[in-house]
Structure formats: C-alpha cells, structure tokens
C-alpha cells in the first residue's frame, strides 16, 4: 500500500491511496483528511433554538445550519464548542451536553463531527471570522423540526443534531 500527499490545504490534506484489491487489482482512492469539528445546537429557551443563515461558497448557496467549527491544535472539544458558539451567535452557555459524533462522508473524508447541545445561554455579540457570511436567527423549535423534515434545512449535520435532540427530549 502506498499513500501520497497530493494537496496540503489550510485545514485539509488530500491523499491518493493506492492498494491491492481482493483479486490483486490496483485500487486508487482519493481521501481527504480533516482535523474534525464540533456542531452546536443552541437552545435559547424551551421553545426556541438559534440557527444560522450561512453562505457556503463551495455550493454557492446560503443554508440553514447550526453553528460549527474546526478543531484547532491543542483545543479540547468543549473549548472549540464554546469558541464557535460565541463567534457565530454571540451566545455563551452554562450547560453543555454531548450528542456523540458522526462522520460526514466516510467514503472520502475522515472528518469526525462532534455534536453538542448548549443550554442556559447568555446573549452577547457575535464575532464571525472574516471569511464567514452568516446571520444568527432564533427559530421556534417546532419550526426548526418542520424545516429539517420538509427539506428547507439541507445540511446533514444540522438535520442529524435536530432530530437526535428531538428524539432524546421526547418532544
């Protein structure tokens, strides 16, 4: 087996993996390595959450999403979650819960997305990064679930976190 670094990006690496298949044939696979990320479901109160209207240049669309961000070196998951929540929404949270993790696209990408619920929020001022075009929007819980089910929300990590939390809370 051989693995060759094809591209070193700001946050990702693209690798070409060459290995032998079950019958000895050569199999070439592209693989993207990513440091991982956190996804935060901000619970504003018993009936409201905060979603983002987030422009994604890769697809040329503005999506409804939960706040999320990449894990930086030497940062704990909780530190990343608190940093991203503040940067993207302006909120800080007193209470955090883990919903586990998921893989976004394991056929090509090793990114692990750690899902968190942020509760007992205090509002502050959002500080998005210079390359982020996002708008925090407080949405009724029932509306967010409707949006996840009717296709208004197209982001997989957001749909997963919303439906997990909905099921776990017995709503």
């Amino acid at each position: 087996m051989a693995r060759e670094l094809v591209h070193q990006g700001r946050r990702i690496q693209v690798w070409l993996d060459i290995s032998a298949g079950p019958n000895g044939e050569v199999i070439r696979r592209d693989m993207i390595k990513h440091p991982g990320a956190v996804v935060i479901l901000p619970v504003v109160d018993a009936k409201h959450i905060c979603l983002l209207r987030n422009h994604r240049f890769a697809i040329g669309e503005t999506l409804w999403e939960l706040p999320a961000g990449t894990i930086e070196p030497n940062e704990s998951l909780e530190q990343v979650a608190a940093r991203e929540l503040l940067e993207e929404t302006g909120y800080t949270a007193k209470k955090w819960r883990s919903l586990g993790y998921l893989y976004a696209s394991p056929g090509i990408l090793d990114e692990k997305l750690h899902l968190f619920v942020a509760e007992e929020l205090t509002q502050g001022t959002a500080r998005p990064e210079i390359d982020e075009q996002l708008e925090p929007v407080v949405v009724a819980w029932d509306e967010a679930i409707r949006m996840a089910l009717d296709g208004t929300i197209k982001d997989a990590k957001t749909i997963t976190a919303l439906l997990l939390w909905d099921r776990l809370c017995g709503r």
Side-chain angles (χ1 to χ4, degrees), residues 83 85-92 122-128 136:
R83 172 177 51 81
L85 179 65
L86 179 61
E87 282 180 9
E88 295 186 355
T89 69
Y91 287 113
T92 55
T122 301
Q123 180 64 59
T125 304
R127 299 178 218 147

Side-chain angles (χ1 to χ4, degrees), residues 51-143:
L51 292 173
L52 301 174
R53 298 275 301 142
N54 192 2
H55 181 75
R56 294 297 190 173
F57 84 94
I59 59 170
E61 290 184 40
T62 299
L63 300 178
W64 286 100
E65 296 184 32
L66 289 173
T70 302
I71 299 167
E72 299 293 340
N74 303 313
E75 242 184 343
S76 71
L77 297 177
E78 293 77 12
Q79 288 171 322
V80 180
R83 172 177 51 81
E84 290 296 330
L85 179 65
L86 179 61
E87 282 180 9
E88 295 186 355
T89 69
Y91 287 113
T92 55
K94 289 183 185 174
K95 185 176 180 182
W96 292 91
R97 297 185 202 203
S98 173
L99 293 177
Y101 66 89
L102 62 94
Y103 292 103
S105 185
I108 191 168
L109 174 65
D110 73 348
E111 180 183 25
K112 186 184 280 190
L113 295 161
H114 301 270
L115 308 174
F116 288 93
V117 176
E119 297 175 284
E120 299 179 24
L121 304 181
T122 301
Q123 180 64 59
T125 304
R127 299 178 218 147
E129 294 182 29
I130 194 163
D131 64 339
E132 293 178 318
Q133 297 175 30
L134 47 83
E135 172 193 4
V137 180
V138 174
V139 176
W141 178 254
D142 291 342
E143 177 70 4

Side-chain angles (χ1 to χ4, degrees), residues 99 102 115 155-165:
L99 293 177
L102 62 94
L115 308 174
D155 177 62
K157 68 186 182 300
T158 299
I159 294 167
T160 301
L162 288 172
L163 296 181
L164 271 173
W165 187 241

